[in-house]
Amino acid sequence: MIANIPPSIIRQYITVVIVNLATLTSGMSIAWPSPVILKLQNGTDTPFSTPITNEESSWTVSGGYLLSITINAIGGILLEKNGRKRCIIMSSLPKFIMAVLCIFLTEVWMLILVRAIWILFDCFTYTIVSVYVSEIASKEHRGSLGSLLQVSSCLGVLITLSVGPFISYTALNTFIATMIALTIVPLFFLPDSPYHLYFKEREEEAIRVLKLIRESDTEIKEELEEYRISKDDGKINKMSLFKDRIFLKSLALGILLCASTNLVGFSAVSYYLQTIFETTNTKLPSEIASVIIGCTQLFAALCTNFASNKFGRRTILLSSLCGIFFGMIGLGTFFKVSESSDYVVSGFMNYLPLISVILVIYFYSAGVGSVFWFVIAELFDSQHRGFGVCLSQIATVLFIFITSKYFPIMTTVMGPVETYFFFAVLCILFGVLIAIFLPETKGKTLQEIQAALGGGNIKKKDQEI
């Protein structure tokens, strides 16, 4: 079977797997709060003299997303100036330094600052990798290759959820630092993006890379022509893009996707996973439940490869939001039924929180969590993709900050019932907006997508990819 796969396609997959080693360690970092916050709050395993408070916990989890707005504001400039490959390496080195510093911290404010910087570079890593993969992948494989970002990230999450609850705070940070160090090395052997090379007047190098990852000379010529057109059209000031109707439409859709992904409660559920299971008072140990959730997330991400090849992007997004909706309804129902002080959790109710969280995690990871990364990259033309994706990522980190920082406050002020039902309502709202405004990008070249956004009459191919 593998023998029938063209070598160029194999090289595409190898390249994308290597670059996603960076997202694997970012996934490990993103799951870090789930086992660690509980240790630090209980005071059972902490480098600090006293347990940390809820306010300190929320800033430890969320502060980096607020700080990440700064890196994403200049991220497009960095991507164009330094190239995709160099930026990936540049973002991996600070992650390693922050992981090492976490081992030796003695004050809570130090932890909040270090984690903020660490998360900042995690967020930038996702931006760079999504742009790089969209430019490495051929249109036939853009969906499956793009989904590897979420697969790799979910694998990192699973590793942390499987290891973190059972080892010490120091050992976990040492383990993550070692993993980051090991995964930096292969990044140096990556080719740079052929589009970036072309844009930097290094056409021969761009052609050399394209010959490695494209199946025919005809495909290479077509892609080079697309680069040329995009480069000629893109010689305008960045600020003038905010007067460009197509760019603004792409940006609005990108922000809609970011909101659909990050305001439906997934971030809150995943970052406070063990804490949520502790508050349900069910008989299932929170450590075991977290591992089950991590396995579910990885399995769901693997399913995305099949789904992205078989179904359109909009179908996947809408189905995903439906699944998250039912998961949030399940959590809200559990807390509504069990809110009575004399209620004893028993029978099926012991497992309803786990089933509900599995629904949220599965449908997020199999849908919006995987698809939105490469759909956003598809919405922008080659010349302004880095700039557009970085602006969209600003919205992403802002939304993640809001949900992760204020989720504990929402559950305290509104109550868990109202909080989870609120997330369910947002699923409906975003689903309606996506159904109305987002064009289908599956099976289209990047030029065809731009034409569709501009109202061009693009005929969809008879055979979808």
Side-chain angles (χ1 to χ4, degrees):
M1 184 76 175
I2 295 179
N4 297 327
I5 301 175
S8 60
I9 303 303
I10 295 175
R11 293 189 198 102
Q12 281 187 44
Y13 275 85
I14 291 174
T15 301
V16 172
V17 167
I18 291 174
V19 76
N20 274 300
L21 292 174
T23 61
L24 177 125
T25 53
S26 287
M28 294 177 69
S29 168
I30 284 173
W32 181 95
S34 181
V36 171
I37 292 298
L38 204 59
K39 297 177 190 290
L40 300 182
Q41 285 183 328
N42 292 342
T44 55
D45 178 14
T46 175
F48 312 124
S49 56
T50 59
I52 65 174
T53 65
N54 286 335
E55 181 68 13
E56 289 166 340
S57 298
S58 67
W59 278 112
T60 302
V61 172
S62 65
Y65 297 106
L66 189 60
L67 186 63
S68 295
I69 293 174
T70 58
I71 190 70
N72 284 291
I74 61 172
I77 298 171
L78 293 174
L79 281 171
E80 291 178 7
K81 183 176 176 62
N82 298 313
R84 286 50 165 156
K85 172 184 173 180
R86 190 176 297 177
C87 281
I88 293 167
I89 296 171
M90 287 169 55
S91 68
S92 296
L93 293 173
K95 286 161 52 178
F96 170 72
I97 295 170
M98 294 306 110
V100 172
L101 287 177
C102 275
I103 300 170
F104 303 101
L105 298 178
T106 57
E107 300 290 339
V108 178
W109 69 264
M110 295 179 182
L111 176 66
I112 294 172
L113 178 60
V114 167
R115 277 296 297 169
I117 297 171
W118 192 351
I119 292 169
L120 180 150
F121 285 100
D122 285 328
C123 291
F124 192 41
T125 296
Y126 285 114
T127 301
I128 308 163
V129 171
S130 65
V131 172
Y132 179 87
V133 171
S134 72
E135 295 173 348
I136 288 293
S138 55
K139 66 176 184 178
E140 294 87 354
H141 300 275
R142 208 163 54 223
S144 56
L145 286 170
S147 68
L148 289 179
L149 183 151
Q150 183 71 1
V151 171
S152 182
S153 179
C154 290
L155 179 59
V157 169
L158 175 60
I159 291 171
T160 297
L161 294 181
S162 300
V163 174
F166 306 104
I167 62 176
S168 70
Y169 167 87
T170 300
L172 177 61
N173 287 298
T174 303
F175 173 64
I176 294 177
T178 303
M179 288 293 293
I180 295 172
L182 292 174
T183 54
I184 287 176
V185 177
L187 299 177
F188 287 92
F189 299 95
L190 290 173
D192 212 331
S193 155
Y195 176 77
H196 173 74
L197 293 171
Y198 185 91
F199 180 76
K200 289 297 183 180
E201 311 293 344
R202 295 156 64 182
E203 187 172 343
E204 290 186 5
E205 291 180 61
I207 292 172
R208 242 188 339 262
V209 174
L210 286 172
K211 285 183 177 178
L212 290 173
I213 59 176
R214 296 294 180 261
E215 295 183 59
S216 67
D217 290 338
T218 302
E219 193 175 352
I220 293 172
K221 289 178 181 178
E222 289 175 353
E223 193 151 338
L224 288 172
E225 179 62 17
E226 185 177 331
Y227 292 169
R228 185 191 64 77
I229 294 171
S230 179
K231 185 177 180 182
D232 291 342
D233 291 343
K235 293 179 179 178
I236 56 176
N237 185 278
K238 287 287 186 291
M239 294 308 296
S240 64
L241 285 173
F242 293 101
K243 299 178 182 179
D244 185 303
R245 184 175 62 86
I246 298 177
F247 179 82
L248 289 176
K249 187 173 181 180
S250 297
L251 182 60
L253 290 170
I255 292 174
L256 171 61
L257 287 173
C258 293
S260 304
T261 305
N262 298 293
L263 287 182
V264 294
F266 170 80
S267 299
V269 169
S270 59
Y271 296 155
Y272 296 97
L273 198 57
Q274 277 192 251
T275 306
I276 290 171
F277 284 122
E278 288 285 335
T279 60
T280 60
N281 294 318
T282 61
K283 295 178 181 178
L284 189 67
S286 61
E287 298 88 350
I288 302 302
S290 294
V291 174
I292 293 172
I293 293 302
C295 293
T296 301
Q297 193 168 355
L298 178 60
F299 173 72
L302 291 170
C303 290
T304 309
N305 190 8
F306 166 78
S308 63
N309 287 328
K310 189 171 182 62
F311 302 106
R313 316 287 196 239
R314 288 179 2 128
T315 301
I316 295 173
L317 289 167
L318 295 174
S319 300
S320 175
L321 289 171
C322 285
I324 297 171
F325 167 81
F326 286 113
M328 291 299 177
I329 290 294
L331 284 170
T333 301
F334 172 84
F335 283 103
K336 180 65 177 175
V337 172
S338 61
E339 64 184 1
S340 174
S341 59
D342 58 349
Y343 181 80
V344 178
V345 178
S346 61
F348 174 74
M349 296 302 289
N350 270 303
Y351 303 99
L352 181 58
L354 177 62
I355 294 170
S356 300
V357 172
I358 285 176
L359 282 174
V360 172
I361 299 293
Y362 177 83
F363 280 99
Y364 176 91
S365 300
V368 292
S370 298
V371 173
F372 99 104
W373 288 107
F374 58 86
V375 173
I376 288 176
E378 289 176 331
L379 291 172
F380 297 96
D381 65 16
S382 300
Q383 174 69 16
H384 305 115
R385 185 173 300 119
F387 184 61
V389 170
C390 284
L391 289 179
S392 300
Q393 183 69 352
I394 289 174
T396 295
V397 296
L398 181 60
F399 295 144
I400 294 176
F401 168 76
I402 292 171
T403 54
S404 57
K405 176 69 175 74
Y406 295 106
F407 174 72
I409 298 174
M410 285 179 67
T411 54
T412 300
V413 175
M414 296 172 56
V417 176
E418 291 77 7
T419 299
Y420 292 118
F421 285 164
F422 172 73
F423 287 138
V425 171
L426 287 182
C427 288
I428 297 173
L429 174 63
F430 292 132
V432 170
L433 292 174
I434 287 173
I436 295 172
F437 295 110
L438 184 69
E440 181 57 66
T441 61
K442 184 176 184 289
K444 295 179 180 177
T445 66
L446 299 176
Q447 279 186 316
E448 288 172 334
I449 294 169
Q450 287 296 297
L453 289 170
N457 185 23
I458 299 296
K459 290 185 179 180
K460 190 174 183 181
K461 297 185 181 196
D462 292 332
Q463 183 177 1
E464 283 195 332
I465 295 159

